[in-house]
Amino acid sequence: MLNYSSLQKVLCFLIIISVVFFTGCRNNDADTEETEQETPQSEAQSEQESETKQESDESDEGKNNDRIQYVLYLKHQDQPFVFSDSYQIASTDERLQNKSLSLFVLEELLKQEGIGELINPIPKETEILSVENDGRTAVVNLSEDFVQNISGTHEDIEATIAVIVNSLITLPENDRVRLLIDGNQVDQIQGLPVQEEYEFITSYYPDK
């Protein structure tokens, strides 16, 4: 039979067990409520971050769409090889106002400087009389200075023509180039037969 002291110990033990159990349940309920509150907030934050990233990607895409890519060519000073370099211009650039992209590219081509062993083979005296489009053919009308002052072998001359032709054909609106001198179709330049129309010229690229 339990004495009074033993009974007190048993009651104290039961009370401690009850308190621990009750406190544990309260903590579990609180953790559950906190988790339930945090979950929607976490989902909302993830959704907001996703929307922000999408807006950033769309903004970057818009910036890229506002820029125009074009290519200019130079020729090796000793060999009939041509080399390209790519450029960009904003579609809103004032240099594009009141002129076609083909005219702008040809103007930039004539103005560009040589780099190292690469030169601009187009005679400096050359003037652009006009650049027009006949369908998908760019009709380039140059001054007579082009044929009078061009130099080199027939391969050098044709590589020079390739500098003009390829720079224009890299533009999406052009498939071919027709070359005129003072408004006239020429049959030859310095003894080199000239085609009526040129497509992209691949003959003057160095072997890789």
Side-chain angles (χ1 to χ4, degrees):
M1 184 173 182
L2 295 175
N3 57 29
Y4 180 75
S5 177
S6 298
L7 184 60
Q8 277 186 322
K9 291 180 179 180
V10 171
L11 289 175
C12 288
F13 178 74
L14 291 175
I15 290 171
I16 292 172
I17 293 297
S18 299
V19 170
V20 170
F21 178 77
F22 180 75
T23 302
C25 292
R26 288 286 303 275
N27 288 340
N28 288 338
D29 292 342
D31 291 342
T32 302
E33 291 177 1
E34 184 176 354
T35 302
E36 290 176 351
Q37 291 176 357
E38 287 179 350
T39 300
Q41 181 178 0
S42 177
E43 291 177 353
Q45 183 177 357
S46 299
E47 184 177 349
Q48 183 177 2
E49 291 175 353
S50 177
E51 290 176 354
T52 301
K53 183 178 184 303
Q54 183 177 357
E55 290 175 358
S56 176
D57 292 342
E58 290 175 354
S59 176
D60 291 341
E61 183 179 355
K63 289 178 182 178
N64 292 333
N65 289 338
D66 288 340
R67 302 197 67 79
I68 298 172
Q69 306 275 348
Y70 64 97
V71 177
L72 300 180
Y73 285 80
L74 290 170
K75 175 187 167 295
H76 192 277
Q77 62 183 2
D78 299 322
Q79 301 293 331
F81 296 143
V82 298
F83 299 83
S84 64
D85 201 358
S86 60
Y87 299 85
Q88 291 185 358
I89 186 173
S91 59
T92 55
D93 194 296
E94 61 182 8
R95 290 175 295 170
L96 290 175
Q97 293 183 2
N98 302 319
K99 68 177 63 174
S100 67
L101 184 57
S102 294
L103 176 56
F104 165 76
V105 167
L106 192 57
E107 289 176 343
E108 293 298 299
L109 182 64
L110 265 63
K111 290 189 301 185
Q112 75 168 335
E113 300 292 334
I115 304 173
E117 295 182 337
L118 303 181
I119 63 170
N120 186 341
I122 302 172
K124 294 185 179 300
E125 302 84 1
T126 302
E127 297 180 9
I128 303 171
L129 302 182
S130 65
V131 179
E132 300 176 351
N133 267 80
D134 180 10
R136 297 189 58 80
T137 298
V139 182
V140 177
N141 188 13
L142 301 178
S143 66
E144 194 173 352
D145 303 286
F146 179 75
V147 297
Q148 289 181 343
N149 297 295
I150 199 168
S151 60
T153 65
H154 284 183
E155 287 185 329
D156 291 325
I157 294 173
E158 194 160 38
T160 301
I161 294 174
V163 165
I164 297 173
V165 169
N166 292 3
S167 294
L168 291 172
I169 290 184
T170 54
L171 299 177
E173 60 264 36
N174 300 326
D175 290 334
R176 292 168 296 278
V177 172
R178 184 184 308 149
L179 185 62
L180 304 180
I181 303 299
D182 278 346
N184 299 312
Q185 180 76 45
V186 294
D187 297 327
Q188 55 86 27
I189 296 177
Q190 304 286 1
L192 172 72
V194 177
Q195 299 179 25
E196 183 176 349
E197 288 187 356
Y198 287 92
E199 295 183 346
F200 195 88
I201 300 174
T202 60
S203 307
Y204 297 96
Y205 289 85
D207 294 333
K208 301 296 183 183

